[in-house]
C-alpha cells in the first residue's frame, strides 16, 4: 500500500468500515479503482483508476479526474472529448479501497469509442466458456465519431482509453 | 498480463474494442475487476475481483463467483452468508479488462457488514480534502447481523471482505 500525503493513513478494519474518517486505501501502484454510473439512468458508464491527486481534485472540484495508466498522467475526464463528468454523489466502500461516482456527463458519451457506456457488449451466461464466448453488442450506438474527436487533439492513437 | 488457459489471449486494441470474441485481459495478478449492481435498483452493490476460474464459473453457472484476495481462494458469493448473486446480465468494457454484473441477490445484503451495498458512506464534494474528509452514512441500515452470520461459519474475524 502506498503512503500518501493528502489523505490520512488507512485505519484498522473496524475504523475503516464503521468510521467517518475518509482514509482511502491505495494499491501498490498508488491507485484506487473507481466505478462511474450515470446519475440519470443508473447504468455503469466506465471503470477507471484514481491516484491521490485525481481523488483530491475530484473531491475539491466536483469534476471527475482519473489517472490514465496508459499515459501515466492525471486526466480530467472529458478534457479532450468534452464529455466531462460532474459528480452528483461520491461514495466509498466498506474497506475504503474503491470509489463509486454518480455523474452527469456533459456530452452523451463516456467511452472513448463514442458509446454512452464502455460496457456496450454482453457476455452470454449459462454455457461452458471452454469452447469460446461470443459477445453481443447492446446499447452500442455511437454518440460521436472518435476519429473526428480525438485526431484534432493531437492524441496518439491507441493511447486513449475509457474516453479521455 | 497473465497467460490463461480457458479464455483466448487478448487481441489487438481494435479487436478488443470492436470484436465479438471474449478475450478478457487479466492483470499481473491474474485478476479482472468486477462491479456488481442490483438488477432491481441499479445501485452499485460491491466491487471485487475474479480470476480466470471465477470468471469461467460465473459464466457457466450464472452465479457470481469471485477471487478473495484476503483469503487467496475462489469464493462463491453468499456461500457463507446465503446472499448469493444470480447474474441477470453480464457485460465487459471496451478494452475487455473489467466486468459488470447485474445481479439479483438471494438475501437483502451484498456487504459483509450486513448492508445492502458496500457503498454505504458518502464522500462530501466541493471542499479541499487537505483538512480531512468526513464521511456520512447513507443507506447504511444493516440487513443482517454479521457477527451472528459469520461466527457460525468458523470464519476468522477480519478475513471476510465484501460479503463472503
Amino acid at each position: 500500500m502506498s503512503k500518501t500525503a493528502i489523505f490520512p493513513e488507512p485505519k484498522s478494519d473496524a475504523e475503516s468500515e464503521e468510521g467517518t474518517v475518509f482514509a482511502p486505501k491505495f494499491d501498490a501502484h498508488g491507485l484506487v479503482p473507481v466505478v462511474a454510473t450515470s446519475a440519470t439512468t443508473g447504468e455503469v458508464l466506465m471503470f477507471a483508476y484514481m491516484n491521490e491527486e485525481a481523488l483530491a481534485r475530484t473531491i475539491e472540484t466536483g469534476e471527475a479526474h482519473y489517472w490514465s495508466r496508459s499515459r501515466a498522467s492525471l486526466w480530467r475526464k472529458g478534457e479532450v472529448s468534452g464529455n466531462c463528468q460532474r459528480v452528483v454523489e461520491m461514495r466509498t466502500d466498506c474497506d475504503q479501497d474503491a470509489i463509486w461516482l454518480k455523474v452527469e456527463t456533459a456530452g452523451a458519451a463516456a467511452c472513448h469509442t463514442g458509446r454512452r457506456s464502455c460496457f456496450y457488449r454482453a457476455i452470454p451466461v449459462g454455457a461452458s466458456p471452454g469452447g469460446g464466448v461470443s459477445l453481443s453488442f447492446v446499447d452500442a450506438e455511437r454518440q460521436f465519431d472518435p476519429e473526428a474527436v480525438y485526431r484534432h487533439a493531437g492524441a496518439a492513437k491507441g493511447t486513449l482509453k475509457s474516453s479521455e
Side-chain angles (χ1 to χ4, degrees), chain A residues 57-78:
Chain A
R57 288 212 193 174
T58 301
I59 291 172
E60 188 160 4
T61 64
E63 291 282 329
H65 291 68
Y66 300 100
W67 176 256
S68 169
R69 294 182 302 167
S70 55
R71 292 179 298 154
S73 65
L74 185 75
W75 146 45
R76 183 174 66 80
K77 177 74 180 88

Side-chain angles (χ1 to χ4, degrees), chain A residues 30-94:
Chain A
L31 302 177
V32 63
V34 183
V35 182
T37 65
S38 163
T40 314
T41 66
E43 75 190 320
V44 175
L45 297 176
M46 56 183 280
F47 173 80
Y49 293 89
M50 290 179 179
N51 67 349
E52 187 184 31
E53 187 182 358
L55 181 56
R57 288 212 193 174
T58 301
I59 291 172
E60 188 160 4
T61 64
E63 291 282 329
H65 291 68
Y66 300 100
W67 176 256
S68 169
R69 294 182 302 167
S70 55
R71 292 179 298 154
S73 65
L74 185 75
W75 146 45
R76 183 174 66 80
K77 177 74 180 88
E79 66 190 4
V80 174
S81 68
N83 292 298
C84 304
Q85 294 178 343
R86 191 179 73 79
V87 177
V88 174
E89 191 173 358
M90 191 167 179
R91 295 198 187 180
T92 191
D93 71 340
C94 43

